[in-house]
Amino acid sequence: MGFCKVNVDAKEEAPVEEEGAEGVKIKWLLDKSVGAPTFAMRHLTIQPGGHTPLHSHDWEHEVYVLEGKGFVRHQDREYEIGPADAIFVPPNELHQFLSTESSELRFLCMVPT
């Protein structure tokens, strides 16, 4: 496949059912299904008070916050995040994304495939 254009509103949203996730939904925007050979772009929404699992894995994340307020836990620290923040999470490091109790958090997350 070659060039591909997708609209986030046209993509199907699915709940993240990984153990430890609460109030998280994902849309797969670009991945191998559209011909992207080396990485995937995902759109995540975390409901107020929700969070991704506290976890680590062998691959990196590149994250760009679109809207809302929240926190990212990295190893033993916590950082506030909001619109226009870009975050790099190295491989094999403990991390978690959390929304505030009053804000839905939306972000793009890119990972290698």
Side-chain angles (χ1 to χ4, degrees), residues 29-49:
L29 302 180
L30 302 170
D31 58 14
K32 288 185 180 198
S33 72
V34 299
T38 57
F39 79 96
M41 179 184 289
R42 307 162 319 159
H43 179 277
L44 287 100
T45 301
I46 304 178
Q47 299 300 312

Side-chain angles (χ1 to χ4, degrees), residues 32 39 57 66 75 99 107:
K32 288 185 180 198
F39 79 96
H57 39 66
L66 299 168
Q75 304 286 69
S99 66
F107 58 92

Side-chain angles (χ1 to χ4, degrees), residues 1 5-6 10 18 27 35 37 44 52 57 64 71 82 97 101 107:
M1 296 183 92
K5 175 191 154 306
V6 299
E18 191 175 336
K27 293 182 180 187
L44 287 100
T52 63
H57 39 66
Y64 183 76
F71 300 91
F97 291 88
E101 290 291 331
F107 58 92

Side-chain angles (χ1 to χ4, degrees), residues 19-78:
E19 185 177 342
E22 186 174 313
V24 183
K25 294 184 179 177
I26 190 168
K27 293 182 180 187
W28 289 84
L29 302 180
L30 302 170
D31 58 14
K32 288 185 180 198
S33 72
V34 299
T38 57
F39 79 96
M41 179 184 289
R42 307 162 319 159
H43 179 277
L44 287 100
T45 301
I46 304 178
Q47 299 300 312
H51 54 80
T52 63
L54 181 60
H55 66 292
S56 66
H57 39 66
D58 294 339
W59 57 90
E60 66 193 64
H61 285 321
E62 285 81 19
V63 171
Y64 183 76
V65 180
L66 299 168
E67 62 183 73
K69 297 280 186 185
F71 300 91
V72 59
R73 286 191 184 135
H74 176 252
Q75 304 286 69
D76 59 352
R77 294 191 61 196
E78 194 169 275

